[in-house]
């Protein structure tokens, strides 16, 4: 059986996860709604 207290003491956060978090939170990434809005604006400006 697992001893959760013992496992928690051994826990070390992954550096990869922290690196990914930093990249995601510090970059202004466009999501799908941003892309759709841009496409609609482009279409409307051509008309």
């Amino acid at each position: 059986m697992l001893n959760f207290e013992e496992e928690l003491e051994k826990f070390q956060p992954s550096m990869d996860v922290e690196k990914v978090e930093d990249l995601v939170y510090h970059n202004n990434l466009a999501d799908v709604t941003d892309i759709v809005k841009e496409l609609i604006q482009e279409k409307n400006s051509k008309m």
Side-chain angles (χ1 to χ4, degrees):
M1 189 172 239
L2 286 175
N3 182 342
F4 289 107
E5 296 297 324
E6 183 180 317
E7 294 298 321
L8 283 174
E9 289 174 11
K10 294 190 286 186
F11 175 75
Q12 294 290 323
S14 171
M15 291 302 291
D16 292 337
V17 171
E18 290 181 16
K19 288 179 185 177
V20 169
E21 280 181 343
D22 288 341
L23 287 172
V24 169
Y25 290 125
H26 294 107
N27 287 321
N28 188 10
L29 301 174
D31 63 1
V32 173
T33 57
D34 293 333
I35 296 169
V36 170
K37 286 178 186 177
E38 187 176 325
L39 291 171
I40 290 171
Q41 286 176 350
E42 287 177 11
K43 181 181 177 189
N44 287 338
S45 67
K46 290 180 182 179
M47 295 181 122

